[in-house]
Every structure is written in structure tokens, then in C-alpha cells.
Amino acid sequence: MQRLVTGILMLLALSVGAGEGIAQGKPGTPAEQYKLLREEYERASSGGVPLTDAERLEFVGYAYKQRYALAVKFLELAERYPNDPIGFDALVQAVWQVNGTPWPVELVGEDTASARALELIQRAHIRSDKLGPLCQRVSSGFRKEYEEFLRAVLAKNPHKNVQAMACLSLAHFLNNRLQRLALCKEQQELAKEFAGLYGKEYLAALLRQDRDNAVKEIEAVFEQSTDKYGDVKLPVADPVAERAKAELFEIRNLSVGKEAPDIEGEDQDGKRFKLSDYRGKVVLLDFWSRV
């Protein structure tokens, strides 16, 4: 534990120094200030030493709180220099820390910058050709503002590749959110954590929505990704159509309550079998591979 405390104190010392430099206007250009904040942002996620599970959890909380604090500084930088090109980069960085796990607010603190940053992006940069990575980034989150941002990009951005990423990311976001809502209905403690992170009213409204209608919308957005943007190549990935079709297959065939697709193979004695041969019986499937 001592090594963790020492590492945190060293990072805090670096953070204070960097913060004082910006407060005093050193270095002076927006780009230099942004670079300084980015360096501090990267240090906030580097423990530097192997950690036990308990130490790792403590460090996760520390890193999130540091990055949320830095997000406020990125937002302030963007608001000080709204006409400088670095303002856009600073706004994106203010949103970049997405609590996708999600960790409880008692551990990681509150994200107070991303809502305002997303508002400014929609106001001044909604037509930017650089919004694709941010769309993909927020798709793993849960915040109401992420959905609003993705829908705005899809509706107003003129670039097909950005539209494609926004459409696919919106489908991912809605699907991930629906799965987490199902867990919240089963686990009261998890529901409390989500209410603390995202707001009681927002969560309550989502829990009241009709699941069948929600699934239909998710399928429709994935289908839109395939029909309208299917040929767009994702960064270091397959075309949009392949990704969307894989997600649709999972929703329609592999969701809880669906009939399992039939599989065929050999048992340990070399006898051929099908999963359907065991219909009506309890079956344990053990998937493994030899590397």
C-alpha cells in the first residue's frame, strides 16, 4: 500500500506544478497549455508499479478523479480560446473519460465537465469531420448527453464516414444501455449506483420504457447502419455492415430467452451429436480452445 501512496503523492506533486503553470499563463499559447494538460492526463492513469486487487481499485478511483478534474481544465481551456483550433481538441478531451464499467460515484467522483463540453461541441463543431472517434468512445457509456450527442451528429454532420460511426455508435449505446437496465431491474444495489451516477429521474424514466419497443428501435438503427452506411470502413476494423449484422444476429438469436442455435460436433468418445438432441434436458456448454 505504501508504494501506491508514494506513487499518488508523486503524481499529485506533478499535477500541482502543472496546474500552477497554467494558472500563471505558462506556457502562453493554447497549444502549449493543451500539451501540458495532456501530459498530466496520461500520468493520471499510470501507476508505475504492479498493484494488488485492493490497490488497483484504489488507483482506479484516484485516476478517475484526477481525469475528471483535468476534464474541467480542458473545458476551461476551450472556453478561453473558442476560436483557436485547439479548442475543439480540448472539448473532445473533456469528454474522453467515459465511465463504461461503470464504477460507482463514491469511488470515482462526478463527471462535471462532459455535459457542458458536449453542448459546446454540438453548438460549434457538429459539422466537424473529426467526430468519429468521439462517437465510438461514448458508445460504451450510459449518460443521457451521449445519446443526445450521437443523434445530433447523425442528423447534422455532413460527412458520411462520421454519420456511419454515429449511427453504429448510437445502436451500440442503446443496446448496451438496455442490457444494463435489465441488470438494474434485477439488482437493487446496482440500480442505486446508476441513480447516483446518472440521476434518479433519468434512470426511472428508462426503467419505465417498454422493452419490446426499445429492442425494435435498436434493431432499426443497426439496420440503418447496414443499409445506408454498410460500405463504410471502420478504423482498423471491418466495414460497418459486418459489424452491424453481427450485432443484429446476437440480438435476434443469442439474447436471453431466445432458442439457442443448433450446434454440431463430437463428444469425448468421438460420437457425433447435435445440441437439439438434448432438447428438454439441462445442458452445460463448455467452450474452450487450445492455443
Side-chain angles (χ1 to χ4, degrees), residues 1-70:
M1 184 62 71
Q2 181 62 40
R3 60 186 175 181
L4 176 64
V5 173
T6 301
I8 289 177
L9 289 175
M10 289 175 63
L11 285 171
L12 284 173
L14 288 168
S15 299
V16 170
E20 288 179 351
I22 290 176
Q24 297 170 5
K26 302 176 183 177
T29 70
E32 289 172 329
Q33 294 180 53
Y34 175 80
K35 180 181 178 182
L36 187 63
L37 285 173
R38 277 299 304 268
E39 291 172 353
E40 190 176 349
Y41 187 91
E42 295 305 321
R43 285 196 300 268
S45 63
S46 176
V49 293
L51 304 175
T52 65
D53 288 346
E55 290 172 340
R56 188 177 297 109
L57 188 62
E58 184 174 348
F59 186 77
V60 164
Y62 162 78
Y64 266 84
K65 289 174 182 176
Q66 283 292 98
R67 286 192 163 190
Y68 282 157
L70 288 167

Side-chain angles (χ1 to χ4, degrees), residues 29-211:
T29 70
E32 289 172 329
Q33 294 180 53
Y34 175 80
K35 180 181 178 182
L36 187 63
L37 285 173
R38 277 299 304 268
E39 291 172 353
E40 190 176 349
Y41 187 91
E42 295 305 321
R43 285 196 300 268
S45 63
S46 176
V49 293
L51 304 175
T52 65
D53 288 346
E55 290 172 340
R56 188 177 297 109
L57 188 62
E58 184 174 348
F59 186 77
V60 164
Y62 162 78
Y64 266 84
K65 289 174 182 176
Q66 283 292 98
R67 286 192 163 190
Y68 282 157
L70 288 167
V72 174
K73 294 183 180 181
F74 280 116
L75 176 59
E76 292 171 349
L77 179 63
E79 291 184 313
R80 281 199 303 271
Y81 304 103
N83 298 320
D84 192 286
I86 209 67
F88 171 78
D89 296 333
L91 288 173
V92 169
Q93 202 62 42
V95 182
W96 202 250
Q97 184 66 31
V98 175
N99 187 2
T101 301
W103 300 103
V105 68
E106 293 82 7
L107 175 66
V108 300
E110 293 187 33
D111 176 4
T112 60
S114 65
R116 172 63 176 166
L118 286 171
E119 177 187 341
L120 293 177
I121 290 174
Q122 291 181 60
R123 182 186 304 172
H125 305 284
I126 196 66
R127 297 177 64 84
S128 171
D129 62 353
K130 300 178 181 179
L131 288 177
L134 184 58
C135 290
Q136 187 174 23
R137 182 76 174 182
V138 302
S139 68
S140 63
F142 194 88
R143 295 176 64 96
K144 178 181 180 181
E145 294 84 1
Y146 295 161
E147 179 184 359
E148 294 171 346
F149 166 71
L150 292 171
R151 292 188 185 278
V153 174
L154 180 57
K156 300 177 182 179
N157 192 284
H159 306 284
K160 186 176 180 180
N161 63 319
V162 178
Q163 294 173 5
M165 185 60 74
C167 191
L168 186 62
S169 296
L170 176 61
H172 279 304
F173 174 87
L174 296 173
N175 192 32
N176 291 338
R177 187 176 67 181
L178 188 63
Q179 293 177 32
R180 290 170 178 174
L181 287 171
L183 293 176
C184 285
K185 290 180 179 179
E186 298 173 357
Q187 305 173 29
Q188 289 301 312
E189 285 302 314
L190 184 63
K192 290 180 181 179
E193 290 181 7
F194 272 63
L197 282 167
Y198 308 113
K200 293 181 180 179
E201 293 183 2
Y202 174 56
L203 180 63
L206 291 174
L207 290 172
R208 288 194 299 268
Q209 71 179 352
D210 183 86
R211 178 179 173 81

Side-chain angles (χ1 to χ4, degrees), residues 225-227 229-232 234 238-246:
S225 299
T226 300
D227 297 341
Y229 308 108
D231 60 336
V232 176
L234 296 170
D238 300 322
V240 168
E242 291 188 27
R243 182 74 63 85
K245 287 177 180 177

Side-chain angles (χ1 to χ4, degrees), residues 214-239:
V215 171
K216 288 178 182 177
E217 181 185 16
I218 293 167
E219 292 181 347
V221 180
F222 273 125
E223 287 171 349
Q224 181 182 357
S225 299
T226 300
D227 297 341
K228 194 171 182 179
Y229 308 108
D231 60 336
V232 176
K233 287 280 290 184
L234 296 170
V236 264
D238 300 322

